Amino acid sequence: MTLAIASGKGGTGKTTLAVNLARAYARPLQLLDCDVEEPNAHLFLPGTEAASEVATIPVPEVDESRCDGCGECSRFCAYHAIVSTGTKALVFAEMCHGCGGCPRVCPRQAIREVPRRIGMVERRQAGDIALVTGRLDVGSVLAPPLIREVKRRLDPSLPAVIDAPPGTSCPVVTAVRGADFVLLVTEPTPFGLHDLQLAVDTLRELAQPFAVVLNRAGAGDDRVHRYCREAGIAIMMEIADDRRIAEAYSRGRLVFDAVPEYRALFSGLADTLLGGQGG
Amino acid sequence: MRELVVLSGKGGTGKTSLAASFAVLAGDAVVADCDVDAADLHLVLAPRPRERHDFVSGRQALIRPADCTGCGLCAELCRFAAIAMAARPDGTPVFRVDPIGCEGCGVCVRSCLAQAIDFPECLCGEWLVSDTRCGSMVHARLKAAAENSGKLVALVRREARRLAEEEKRERIIVDGPPGIGCPVIASLSGASLVLAVTEPTVSGEHDLERVLSLARHFQVPVAACVNKWDLNPEMTERIEAKAAAAGARLAGRVRYDAGVTAAQLRERAVVETDAPCVDDIRAIWNNLQL
Ligand code: SF4
Ligand code: SF4
């Protein structure tokens, strides 16, 4: 069972839900932090760092002694990452998607591929939770390949929770694709509703099953409830607008540990979605 | 012309509420919503569109089943695993491109021995120029699961500049995208000032560091402010000390105030209400000296 947790925008409580569900499950599971631009799950899960690996993508390197400036690579590249206008080809590696096209189209075999670092994949064990974190390098634009690297470490023999990046475009699509179920976290406000609608459009486009978790319930009005009722979307859990939750979060503490009265709520949802005893 | 970009690392820190308030306080700025993935500014500023344009960007591979010989070379070459085999009614293989996985690189198009792959341009969304109660606004909508938000951000900023020149406006206020990836980079390069909005949380601290190092990487001057600072005063001080050490100007603090959500429910900018934190927001705006 792979459960992805997403939201139309950040700061709605996505990571809070992911880490507390993982903690509440209380049996071995994996937590994949795919919010690679701002990975936060590790801040709530002290544990021992097991290993970290550099993630790379292949980018071209031009052998200048062979390049005659024909410009074939530059005409081919859809991302303007290799440029030659009658001169030797120049690579703008930070724009390269690593498609492997330019080495193929070069008539003089002047291009080979070399790895370029885009970020790190870190592993950590925090109690029962095997956390895998992707961390995009500052200045790198390529979240999707790093997210794919994190997901490659998914162990199918264990249940998994994926903390997806916020938004509705390529990074979030890469993170939630293939998950068995998606929880969309939102707030009962105009921004919350609007961002939820965008996320719903995306998941419908992907044809993935999902439900909603309402955070800060009581802080706004009933517009998210009304929308979900009309659109036939289940609200699987409501987390109250409780300053103690905000304060626990602020200190990097799990709601599960800091405000025990919410324990049953998280445990119940974890068992329902990730599989009960023996999961 | 001065361009302020409001960023937050992760979203939901009050970035859009602040940007809307600044737009009202400025009165005559051009406003640009560059959070094209989850644009919310229009929910406060109620723009009346006067122009609408398609956003066409990139291409997408499309295999013509009638011409596909089923050799599978394309699927082998696609680095993004976007091509999968399917079966025709008679059981022979045919290949199909998954439009969501395709990154539009063109490797398959170029390599197909039967030349069975088309490569049409994609309609990825739309962008609009609108009137609001505080000046012109450029905003956009990316289609669900679409790509190229970085390019759309660059386009929205370019149009905002053009408009500011045309209408002789001194200032541009940009509501930036979350994160530190491609849309954010597209939103801050060449800006006059970045305001990084954060909250006094362990993740806020962590995210702010990443935004500050990005601003430094692109050599854009940066100011920082802490929203809901009284949620954790010690953390606020720690964050401010770190921000200052990283070269950010401290622009101020905003208190924890239910009036922010209340303003949103009434579709007003916070500074158009009498919420207690209005004073805090005005002070930040004055400190920015945009
Ligand atoms: S590998 Fe692909 S994306 Fe990279 S430079 Fe070559 S053609 Fe462009
Ligand atoms: S254009 Fe590139 S990404 Fe798209 S299907 Fe072809 S090889 Fe794959």
Side-chain angles (χ1 to χ4, degrees):
Chain A
M1 175 72 194
T2 303
L3 171 68
I5 303 191
S7 66
K9 71 159 184 207
T12 55
K14 187 173 57 61
T15 302
T16 303
L17 182 64
V19 293
N20 283 289
L21 279 182
R23 170 83 169 84
Y25 188 61
R27 275 156 284 179
L29 99 170
Q30 306 168 85
L31 178 56
L32 272 53
D33 193 345
C34 289
D35 190 357
V36 300
E37 293 183 35
E38 310 285 356
N40 284 154
H42 65 284
L43 299 171
F44 299 88
L45 299 169
T48 42
E49 214 66 59
S52 60
E53 296 159 69
V54 171
T56 64
I57 60 162
V59 301
E61 188 178 76
V62 178
D63 177 349
E64 295 202 348
S65 66
R66 288 186 171 211
C67 174
D68 65 359
C70 75
E72 197 53 23
C73 53
S74 156
R75 281 188 292 278
F76 175 79
C77 180
Y79 316 105
H80 310 292
I82 186 162
V83 175
S84 138
T85 40
T87 52
K88 308 249 184 234
L90 249 169
V91 176
F92 295 91
E94 65 290 348
M95 290 162 76
C96 171
H97 287 223
C99 77
C102 53
R104 286 183 63 82
V105 304
C106 174
R108 298 181 50 91
Q109 280 92 48
I111 305 179
R112 67 180 192 121
E113 293 186 280
V114 293
R116 172 174 194 269
R117 182 185 152 132
I118 52 168
M120 300 288 293
V121 179
E122 298 159 7
R123 285 165 183 276
R124 165 186 294 192
Q125 191 69 38
D128 282 327
I129 304 168
L131 175 66
V132 185
T133 302
R135 189 186 302 278
L136 192 69
D137 283 347
V138 170
S140 175
V141 298
L142 291 170
L146 183 56
I147 293 169
R148 282 192 285 268
E149 279 301 304
V150 174
K151 288 179 77 179
R152 242 172 19 94
R153 283 150 177 94
L154 202 116
D155 171 358
S157 69
L158 283 179
V161 173
I162 292 178
D163 188 0
T168 56
S169 66
C170 18
V172 65
V173 169
T174 311
V176 304
R177 276 207 117 182
D180 300 304
F181 199 75
V182 183
L183 283 178
L184 293 176
V185 188
T186 194
E187 298 177 346
T189 60
F191 292 3
L193 174 59
H194 179 250
D195 300 334
L196 173 65
Q197 288 167 326
L198 298 174
V200 166
D201 286 348
T202 300
L203 288 176
R204 293 210 160 133
E205 189 81 21
L206 298 174
Q208 281 183 259
F210 63 92
V212 164
V213 167
L214 189 64
N215 193 18
R216 294 184 61 220
D221 56 16
D222 66 348
R223 64 185 75 208
V224 169
H225 284 103
R226 269 185 284 135
Y227 164 73
C228 287
R229 199 159 49 234
E230 277 154 29
I233 298 168
I235 298 182
M236 289 200 76
M237 177 175 167
E238 299 192 17
I239 306 173
D241 183 33
D242 181 338
R243 191 171 165 136
R244 288 174 302 164
I245 295 181
E247 283 176 357
Y249 180 78
S250 136
R251 298 192 152 71
R253 294 199 61 200
L254 292 171
V255 181
F256 188 87
D257 296 324
V259 200
E261 68 206 64
Y262 290 103
R263 276 193 185 178
L265 202 62
F266 288 112
S267 303
L269 189 63
D271 284 345
T272 311
L273 289 175
L274 295 167
Q277 296 306 315
Chain B
M1 190 193 308
R2 305 266 300 153
E3 187 187 24
L4 170 72
V5 181
V6 185
L7 291 180
S8 74
K10 89 181 155 123
T13 57
K15 170 178 69 65
T16 299
S17 295
L18 277 177
S21 286
F22 294 160
V24 169
L25 291 172
D28 64 347
V30 170
V31 183
D33 191 347
C34 283
D35 192 351
V36 297
D37 231 22
D40 285 333
L41 200 53
H42 65 281
L43 298 173
V44 180
L45 295 183
R48 297 173 301 278
R50 59 172 197 250
E51 286 174 35
R52 254 174 214 278
H53 306 266
D54 284 343
F55 170 58
V56 175
S57 172
R59 293 175 181 273
Q60 200 155 67
L62 195 68
I63 299 177
R64 295 187 306 278
D67 297 319
C68 172
T69 60
C71 75
L73 179 64
C74 54
E76 211 173 285
L77 293 177
C78 175
R79 294 256 172 103
F80 310 102
I83 305 184
M85 193 173 81
R88 296 179 202 271
D90 67 359
T92 56
V94 61
F95 284 78
R96 213 186 76 84
V97 176
D98 162 18
I100 291 166
C102 175
E103 296 207 11
C105 71
V107 165
C108 58
V109 180
R110 172 81 171 224
S111 310
C112 176
L113 300 170
Q115 295 184 349
I117 309 182
D118 291 332
F119 206 31
E121 286 194 314
C122 315
L123 176 63
C124 297
E126 60 169 357
W127 60 275
L128 306 91
V129 178
S130 301
D131 293 310
T132 75
R133 59 184 180 280
C134 35
S136 298
M137 170 169 174
V138 187
H139 49 131
R141 192 172 308 157
L142 204 61
K143 271 199 347 195
E147 297 206 21
N148 289 323
S149 49
K151 281 194 191 146
L152 185 52
V153 166
L155 190 152
V156 167
R157 275 183 80 201
R158 208 165 46 237
E159 286 302 318
R161 280 197 195 162
R162 197 186 48 76
L163 216 61
E165 249 159 52
E166 209 176 274
E167 300 178 355
K168 307 215 176 345
R169 305 285 180 204
E170 296 293 317
R171 296 178 287 204
I172 301 175
I173 292 170
V174 179
D175 185 7
I180 60 156
C182 108
V184 181
I185 290 173
S187 79
L188 66 68
S189 52
S192 322
L193 180 65
V194 164
L195 175 66
V197 184
T198 191
E199 291 179 353
T201 62
V202 284
S203 42
E205 179 182 25
H206 179 254
D207 296 345
L208 181 71
E209 280 173 30
R210 286 169 70 80
V211 171
L212 293 181
S213 56
L214 192 71
R216 199 164 46 235
H217 188 97
F218 288 95
Q219 301 179 345
V220 180
V222 49
C225 70
V226 181
N227 190 17
K228 304 186 187 169
W229 73 271
D230 43 345
L231 214 49
N232 189 336
E234 309 92 80
M235 179 73 82
T236 295
E237 275 173 25
R238 202 164 89 200
I239 289 178
E240 288 177 342
K242 273 200 180 160
R249 188 142 57 91
L250 298 181
R253 300 170 169 184
V254 184
R255 71 195 80 171
Y256 186 90
D257 185 350
V260 174
T261 303
Q264 208 190 98
L265 291 171
R266 291 170 46 206
E267 294 169 32
R268 309 306 293 169
V270 183
V271 295
E272 292 171 313
T273 70
D274 51 12
C277 71
V278 168
D279 295 342
D280 306 343
I281 298 176
R282 281 182 186 275
I284 292 174
W285 173 247
N286 292 334
N287 284 339
L288 291 177
Q289 296 179 329
L290 193 70

